[in-house]
């Protein structure tokens, strides 16, 4: 007797759901046209929940993994560019330091030469 009551209650509950889903959906569209869109969305969501038809499985999109892979690729490219730029900068600074040392040496030699000439002029020596 309990199993018969359960089956009867289930079929009546199923009938109520079949009847209620279209009514709630119709009410949702009426409210959507005349009243607040938020209330309409709530009723439409309730209609989908009450509807006895099986729900479709939502497919997952691959965009989060694509964003992650794109970010990793950009990070790797940035790291390589940073390393190359750092190496280039070190080479430029080394060349610049060598060139500065050479120019300072040339300037010192030139000043030494000029100083020697001036000293000779002041002391009256001839080269």
């Amino acid at each position: 007797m309990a199993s018969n009551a359960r089956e009867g209650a289930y079929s009546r509950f199923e009938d109520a759901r079949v009847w209620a889903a279209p009514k709630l959906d119709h009410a949702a569209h009426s409210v959507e046209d005349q009243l607040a869109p938020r209330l309409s969305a709530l009723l439409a969501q309730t209609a989908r929940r009450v509807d006895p038809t099986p729900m479709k499985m939502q497919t997952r999109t691959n965009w989060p993994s694509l964003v992650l892979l794109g970010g990793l690729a950009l990070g790797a490219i940035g790291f390589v560019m940073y390393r190359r730029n750092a190496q280039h900068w070190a080479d430029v600074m080394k060349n610049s330091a060598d060139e500065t040392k050479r120019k300072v040496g040339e300037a010192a030699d030139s000043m030494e030469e000029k100083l020697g000439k001036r000293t000779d002029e002041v002391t009256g020596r001839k080269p």
Side-chain angles (χ1 to χ4, degrees), residues 17-33:
R17 289 176 67 190
V18 167
W19 176 84
K23 299 290 183 191
L24 289 172
D25 195 42
H26 178 67
H29 290 297
S30 296
V31 169
E32 185 177 21
D33 293 339

PDB file of all heavy atoms in Angstrom, residues 17-33:
ATOM      1  N   ARG A  17       4.464  19.241 -11.969  1.00  0.00           N
ATOM      2  CA  ARG A  17       5.646  19.864 -12.568  1.00  0.00           C
ATOM      3  C   ARG A  17       5.425  20.131 -14.053  1.00  0.00           C
ATOM      4  O   ARG A  17       5.819  21.190 -14.569  1.00  0.00           O
ATOM      5  CB  ARG A  17       6.870  18.976 -12.368  1.00  0.00           C
ATOM      6  CG  ARG A  17       7.334  18.942 -10.920  1.00  0.00           C
ATOM      7  CD  ARG A  17       8.469  17.988 -10.717  1.00  0.00           C
ATOM      8  NE  ARG A  17       9.669  18.448 -11.396  1.00  0.00           N
ATOM      9  CZ  ARG A  17      10.768  17.723 -11.547  1.00  0.00           C
ATOM     10  NH1 ARG A  17      10.826  16.502 -11.039  1.00  0.00           N
ATOM     11  NH2 ARG A  17      11.797  18.199 -12.180  1.00  0.00           N
ATOM     12  N   VAL A  18       4.823  19.172 -14.738  1.00  0.00           N
ATOM     13  CA  VAL A  18       4.554  19.350 -16.174  1.00  0.00           C
ATOM     14  C   VAL A  18       3.592  20.515 -16.372  1.00  0.00           C
ATOM     15  O   VAL A  18       3.738  21.309 -17.302  1.00  0.00           O
ATOM     16  CB  VAL A  18       4.004  18.041 -16.785  1.00  0.00           C
ATOM     17  CG1 VAL A  18       3.434  18.269 -18.168  1.00  0.00           C
ATOM     18  CG2 VAL A  18       5.074  16.976 -16.804  1.00  0.00           C
ATOM     19  N   TRP A  19       2.621  20.666 -15.509  1.00  0.00           N
ATOM     20  CA  TRP A  19       1.650  21.758 -15.617  1.00  0.00           C
ATOM     21  C   TRP A  19       2.282  23.100 -15.216  1.00  0.00           C
ATOM     22  O   TRP A  19       2.033  24.119 -15.843  1.00  0.00           O
ATOM     23  CB  TRP A  19       0.451  21.455 -14.712  1.00  0.00           C
ATOM     24  CG  TRP A  19      -0.555  22.566 -14.678  1.00  0.00           C
ATOM     25  CD1 TRP A  19      -1.569  22.801 -15.566  1.00  0.00           C
ATOM     26  CD2 TRP A  19      -0.629  23.612 -13.698  1.00  0.00           C
ATOM     27  NE1 TRP A  19      -2.263  23.925 -15.209  1.00  0.00           N
ATOM     28  CE2 TRP A  19      -1.705  24.446 -14.058  1.00  0.00           C
ATOM     29  CE3 TRP A  19       0.099  23.923 -12.569  1.00  0.00           C
ATOM     30  CZ2 TRP A  19      -2.064  25.560 -13.317  1.00  0.00           C
ATOM     31  CZ3 TRP A  19      -0.257  25.029 -11.838  1.00  0.00           C
ATOM     32  CH2 TRP A  19      -1.320  25.842 -12.207  1.00  0.00           C
ATOM     33  N   ALA A  20       3.112  23.079 -14.178  1.00  0.00           N
ATOM     34  CA  ALA A  20       3.633  24.331 -13.625  1.00  0.00           C
ATOM     35  C   ALA A  20       4.724  24.957 -14.496  1.00  0.00           C
ATOM     36  O   ALA A  20       4.840  26.177 -14.564  1.00  0.00           O
ATOM     37  CB  ALA A  20       4.183  24.100 -12.219  1.00  0.00           C
ATOM     38  N   ALA A  21       5.531  24.150 -15.137  1.00  0.00           N
ATOM     39  CA  ALA A  21       6.653  24.689 -15.909  1.00  0.00           C
ATOM     40  C   ALA A  21       6.202  25.651 -17.005  1.00  0.00           C
ATOM     41  O   ALA A  21       6.711  26.772 -17.094  1.00  0.00           O
ATOM     42  CB  ALA A  21       7.500  23.558 -16.489  1.00  0.00           C
ATOM     43  N   PRO A  22       5.232  25.304 -17.849  1.00  0.00           N
ATOM     44  CA  PRO A  22       4.806  26.269 -18.875  1.00  0.00           C
ATOM     45  C   PRO A  22       4.142  27.513 -18.284  1.00  0.00           C
ATOM     46  O   PRO A  22       4.296  28.619 -18.798  1.00  0.00           O
ATOM     47  CB  PRO A  22       3.818  25.505 -19.746  1.00  0.00           C
ATOM     48  CG  PRO A  22       3.967  24.081 -19.393  1.00  0.00           C
ATOM     49  CD  PRO A  22       4.600  23.997 -18.054  1.00  0.00           C
ATOM     50  N   LYS A  23       3.409  27.330 -17.179  1.00  0.00           N
ATOM     51  CA  LYS A  23       2.750  28.483 -16.548  1.00  0.00           C
ATOM     52  C   LYS A  23       3.795  29.463 -16.016  1.00  0.00           C
ATOM     53  O   LYS A  23       3.657  30.683 -16.191  1.00  0.00           O
ATOM     54  CB  LYS A  23       1.838  28.024 -15.400  1.00  0.00           C
ATOM     55  CG  LYS A  23       0.718  27.112 -15.813  1.00  0.00           C
ATOM     56  CD  LYS A  23      -0.307  27.862 -16.602  1.00  0.00           C
ATOM     57  CE  LYS A  23      -1.470  26.916 -16.932  1.00  0.00           C
ATOM     58  NZ  LYS A  23      -2.373  27.478 -17.880  1.00  0.00           N
ATOM     59  N   LEU A  24       4.791  28.942 -15.349  1.00  0.00           N
ATOM     60  CA  LEU A  24       5.838  29.815 -14.827  1.00  0.00           C
ATOM     61  C   LEU A  24       6.603  30.497 -15.963  1.00  0.00           C
ATOM     62  O   LEU A  24       6.970  31.672 -15.863  1.00  0.00           O
ATOM     63  CB  LEU A  24       6.793  29.020 -13.940  1.00  0.00           C
ATOM     64  CG  LEU A  24       6.235  28.578 -12.591  1.00  0.00           C
ATOM     65  CD1 LEU A  24       7.212  27.631 -11.905  1.00  0.00           C
ATOM     66  CD2 LEU A  24       5.965  29.783 -11.716  1.00  0.00           C
ATOM     67  N   ASP A  25       6.826  29.777 -17.054  1.00  0.00           N
ATOM     68  CA  ASP A  25       7.526  30.362 -18.194  1.00  0.00           C
ATOM     69  C   ASP A  25       6.688  31.484 -18.825  1.00  0.00           C
ATOM     70  O   ASP A  25       7.214  32.543 -19.167  1.00  0.00           O
ATOM     71  CB  ASP A  25       7.850  29.274 -19.216  1.00  0.00           C
ATOM     72  CG  ASP A  25       8.870  29.740 -20.223  1.00  0.00           C
ATOM     73  OD1 ASP A  25       9.841  30.407 -19.807  1.00  0.00           O
ATOM     74  OD2 ASP A  25       8.696  29.441 -21.422  1.00  0.00           O
ATOM     75  N   HIS A  26       5.387  31.258 -18.949  1.00  0.00           N
ATOM     76  CA  HIS A  26       4.493  32.298 -19.487  1.00  0.00           C
ATOM     77  C   HIS A  26       4.484  33.522 -18.566  1.00  0.00           C
ATOM     78  O   HIS A  26       4.538  34.672 -19.037  1.00  0.00           O
ATOM     79  CB  HIS A  26       3.083  31.738 -19.671  1.00  0.00           C
ATOM     80  CG  HIS A  26       2.101  32.752 -20.163  1.00  0.00           C
ATOM     81  ND1 HIS A  26       2.168  33.319 -21.417  1.00  0.00           N
ATOM     82  CD2 HIS A  26       1.030  33.330 -19.550  1.00  0.00           C
ATOM     83  CE1 HIS A  26       1.198  34.189 -21.560  1.00  0.00           C
ATOM     84  NE2 HIS A  26       0.477  34.216 -20.440  1.00  0.00           N
ATOM     85  N   ALA A  27       4.403  33.290 -17.273  1.00  0.00           N
ATOM     86  CA  ALA A  27       4.429  34.397 -16.317  1.00  0.00           C
ATOM     87  C   ALA A  27       5.749  35.158 -16.430  1.00  0.00           C
ATOM     88  O   ALA A  27       5.781  36.389 -16.336  1.00  0.00           O
ATOM     89  CB  ALA A  27       4.226  33.873 -14.900  1.00  0.00           C
ATOM     90  N   ALA A  28       6.822  34.423 -16.658  1.00  0.00           N
ATOM     91  CA  ALA A  28       8.131  35.065 -16.792  1.00  0.00           C
ATOM     92  C   ALA A  28       8.153  36.000 -17.991  1.00  0.00           C
ATOM     93  O   ALA A  28       8.659  37.132 -17.905  1.00  0.00           O
ATOM     94  CB  ALA A  28       9.214  34.014 -16.928  1.00  0.00           C
ATOM     95  N   HIS A  29       7.584  35.564 -19.105  1.00  0.00           N
ATOM     96  CA  HIS A  29       7.578  36.420 -20.295  1.00  0.00           C
ATOM     97  C   HIS A  29       6.682  37.640 -20.102  1.00  0.00           C
ATOM     98  O   HIS A  29       7.005  38.734 -20.576  1.00  0.00           O
ATOM     99  CB  HIS A  29       7.171  35.623 -21.528  1.00  0.00           C
ATOM    100  CG  HIS A  29       8.211  34.635 -21.953  1.00  0.00           C
ATOM    101  ND1 HIS A  29       9.458  35.011 -22.375  1.00  0.00           N
ATOM    102  CD2 HIS A  29       8.199  33.287 -21.988  1.00  0.00           C
ATOM    103  CE1 HIS A  29      10.177  33.938 -22.665  1.00  0.00           C
ATOM    104  NE2 HIS A  29       9.431  32.874 -22.428  1.00  0.00           N
ATOM    105  N   SER A  30       5.546  37.473 -19.415  1.00  0.00           N
ATOM    106  CA  SER A  30       4.659  38.612 -19.163  1.00  0.00           C
ATOM    107  C   SER A  30       5.349  39.651 -18.292  1.00  0.00           C
ATOM    108  O   SER A  30       5.279  40.852 -18.552  1.00  0.00           O
ATOM    109  CB  SER A  30       3.375  38.132 -18.480  1.00  0.00           C
ATOM    110  OG  SER A  30       2.662  37.273 -19.327  1.00  0.00           O
ATOM    111  N   VAL A  31       5.982  39.189 -17.241  1.00  0.00           N
ATOM    112  CA  VAL A  31       6.665  40.108 -16.329  1.00  0.00           C
ATOM    113  C   VAL A  31       7.829  40.783 -17.044  1.00  0.00           C
ATOM    114  O   VAL A  31       8.102  41.962 -16.838  1.00  0.00           O
ATOM    115  CB  VAL A  31       7.129  39.355 -15.063  1.00  0.00           C
ATOM    116  CG1 VAL A  31       8.054  40.208 -14.226  1.00  0.00           C
ATOM    117  CG2 VAL A  31       5.923  38.922 -14.249  1.00  0.00           C
ATOM    118  N   GLU A  32       8.507  40.031 -17.922  1.00  0.00           N
ATOM    119  CA  GLU A  32       9.657  40.575 -18.646  1.00  0.00           C
ATOM    120  C   GLU A  32       9.240  41.759 -19.521  1.00  0.00           C
ATOM    121  O   GLU A  32       9.964  42.744 -19.631  1.00  0.00           O
ATOM    122  CB  GLU A  32      10.276  39.478 -19.496  1.00  0.00           C
ATOM    123  CG  GLU A  32      11.539  39.885 -20.207  1.00  0.00           C
ATOM    124  CD  GLU A  32      12.151  38.734 -20.977  1.00  0.00           C
ATOM    125  OE1 GLU A  32      11.438  37.756 -21.285  1.00  0.00           O
ATOM    126  OE2 GLU A  32      13.340  38.821 -21.277  1.00  0.00           O
ATOM    127  N   ASP A  33       8.071  41.654 -20.109  1.00  0.00           N
ATOM    128  CA  ASP A  33       7.613  42.736 -20.984  1.00  0.00           C
ATOM    129  C   ASP A  33       7.082  43.928 -20.203  1.00  0.00           C
ATOM    130  O   ASP A  33       7.195  45.068 -20.665  1.00  0.00           O
ATOM    131  CB  ASP A  33       6.520  42.226 -21.931  1.00  0.00           C
ATOM    132  CG  ASP A  33       7.062  41.214 -22.934  1.00  0.00           C
ATOM    133  OD1 ASP A  33       8.293  41.217 -23.152  1.00  0.00           O
ATOM    134  OD2 ASP A  33       6.271  40.426 -23.481  1.00  0.00           O
TER     135      ASP A  33
END
